[in-house]
Amino acid sequence: MPDQDDLFHPVIELPEDVREQRYRRLVGLDEQKIRLQKEATVLTVPDRLQQWAKKHHGGQVSALDLLGDRAPLIVFGGDVGTGKTALAESFGCDLSTRLGLPVLLYRLKLTTRGSGLVGEMTTLISDAFSVMVTEGRKAKGKNGAKSVLVMVVDEADAVAQSREQRQMHHEDRAGVDAFLEGVDSLAGEQLPVLIVMCTNRLGALDPALRRRAAATFTFGRPSPEQRRVVLTDALNGLGLKAATLDQLVKLTGERDGRVAFTYSDLTQRLVPSMVMAAFPDGPVTDDIALAVAEDMAPTPSFPEAKD
Ligand SMILES: Nc1ncnc2c1ncn2[C@@H]1O[C@H](COP(=O)(O)OP(=O)(O)OP(=O)(O)O)[C@@H](O)[C@H]1O
Ligand SMILES: [Mg+2]
């Protein structure tokens, strides 16, 4: 049995306060959140679907077999800084509440990549899946699931890339194959295990993997309304004028032929820079806030972020 500490970051049991708050604060993802909760529920605890069929259709319906055959794989794709990691690592809080079960968050370490040992990536991936199968069987229990396991494969570009891409190394191709094998090994077992894969390169995702995904979610840059919500929250307490906020929403949008700011451009670059521009001599003024926004450029768009 492989050593879990080499494969995963410390396992986190959800719900947990910090992540719960992070989940609630994510803006513009309401539709994704609703669909994600439904998919995660039926993929990990299919009994819930049977209970539903019994209640609303009087018993077995053939649509359930089709749903039951799907692999427990969900893909998050889209541009940088749009909330993929944040959602992947926090939705388990809500899922846990809905299911009334603890959710264990396993975050795969993809760090061994680049260390030069051929086959290391493949071993890492197959080992990770065998841990999920073993732990998943324990979690399944005899009288219904005792917990649900979510494995997050973040920055999965190397693992997920199409096997046809010519520039791909031999090692990476083997990684894709190991991943497909792992997903298939889970699909047959009906375990309370869900794999969430995040990538910037949805367009480059291996077609065999795409076909297996039970659901794919795409993430984009915030609209003006969504930027307004994020900025209002982030600038709360600074006493800026309403007109300044209007202007900031505009300055962070598409202009002069460039893309709009990402969510993380707003929360991790723009607002911290405003504070740093003012600190330590005085307060963040409307002029400082506007000057910082005026000077800052958004993170360029990831070329293959779209389908
Ligand atoms: N929808 C959102 N609402 C509010 N804040 C967000 C949202 N998306 C991202 N953020 C902010 O940006 C930070 C970075 O987001 P996250 O790491 O989830 O992006 P990502 O899509 O995984 O990006 P990458 O592709 O670069 O990995 C979050 O911690 C949060 O502060
Ligand atoms: Mg990320």
Side-chain angles (χ1 to χ4, degrees):
M1 187 72 187
D3 187 352
Q4 282 203 23
D5 294 344
D6 293 339
L7 298 170
F8 300 105
H9 297 286
V11 176
I12 297 171
E13 181 170 335
L14 303 176
E16 178 222 62
D17 282 350
V18 175
R19 278 162 206 277
E20 180 101 50
Q21 274 189 31
R22 223 177 268 165
Y23 179 77
R24 293 196 194 298
R25 287 172 88 118
L26 287 171
V27 172
L29 296 176
D30 293 344
E31 272 172 42
Q32 275 101 324
K33 284 178 179 176
I34 292 169
R35 201 175 126 227
L36 179 60
Q37 294 305 340
K38 291 188 192 193
E39 293 284 6
T41 299
V42 303
L43 287 166
T44 55
V45 187
D47 290 359
R48 301 294 162 104
L49 204 52
Q50 255 129 34
Q51 287 162 11
W52 165 86
K54 202 164 168 200
K55 182 168 173 201
H56 297 285
H57 295 284
Q60 190 62 28
V61 287
S62 41
L64 292 203
D65 298 335
L66 298 175
L67 280 156
D69 285 341
R70 302 181 308 163
L73 171 68
I74 285 180
V75 174
F76 288 1
D79 216 337
V80 293
T82 50
K84 298 182 297 298
T85 303
L87 184 63
E89 297 190 353
S90 67
F91 80 94
C93 296
D94 197 16
L95 181 66
S96 167
T97 313
R98 277 165 207 265
L99 293 173
L101 294 171
V103 170
L104 301 174
L105 180 62
Y106 285 75
R107 293 163 300 159
L108 185 65
K109 283 186 187 169
L110 280 174
T111 44
T112 54
R113 187 161 188 269
S115 61
L117 287 179
V118 174
E120 205 165 324
M121 174 89 137
T122 318
T123 314
L124 170 85
I125 292 165
S126 4
D127 285 354
F129 275 99
S130 60
V131 169
M132 296 321 285
V133 169
T134 313
E135 296 301 315
R137 284 179 188 151
K138 288 187 211 158
K140 189 170 183 177
K142 285 210 177 66
N143 306 310
K146 290 182 287 193
S147 56
V148 166
L149 318 184
V150 174
M151 177 167 94
V152 176
V153 186
D154 205 356
E155 317 268 328
D157 301 349
V159 193
Q161 231 175 81
S162 164
R163 284 173 291 180
E164 273 126 47
Q165 294 217 331
R166 241 170 298 143
Q167 73 270 34
M168 211 175 179
H169 301 302
H170 165 71
E171 191 184 338
D172 291 340
R173 259 198 320 270
V176 177
D177 289 338
F179 201 91
L180 286 170
E181 229 167 80
V183 167
D184 288 342
S185 74
L186 279 173
E189 288 230 26
Q190 302 247 325
L191 299 174
V193 174
L194 183 64
I195 312 298
V196 179
M197 168 181 254
C198 305
T199 176
N200 291 129
R201 318 184 58 186
L202 202 49
L205 199 67
D206 188 83
L209 252 175
R210 284 199 85 150
R211 275 199 304 276
R212 277 170 181 76
T216 300
F217 294 84
T218 46
F219 295 68
R221 296 188 181 221
S223 66
E225 295 72 36
Q226 290 160 346
R227 292 199 299 276
R228 180 179 293 277
V229 176
V230 172
L231 286 169
T232 304
D233 189 27
L235 299 170
N236 182 31
L238 296 179
L240 299 180
K241 292 191 191 114
T244 303
L245 188 69
D246 292 345
Q247 197 58 24
L248 289 173
V249 169
K250 250 196 216 136
L251 285 171
T252 53
E254 285 174 30
R255 64 183 169 102
D256 309 330
R258 68 181 203 196
V259 286
F261 279 47
T262 69
Y263 284 101
S264 65
D265 285 340
L266 301 176
T267 59
Q268 298 184 335
R269 293 174 58 226
L270 180 66
V271 173
S273 298
M274 289 174 181
V275 172
M276 286 300 119
F279 175 85
D281 301 323
V284 176
T285 60
D286 296 281
D287 286 346
I288 290 178
L290 291 169
V292 169
E294 192 85 60
D295 276 354
M296 190 173 280
T299 306
S301 179
F302 208 95
E304 287 161 315
K306 287 209 172 67
D307 235 329

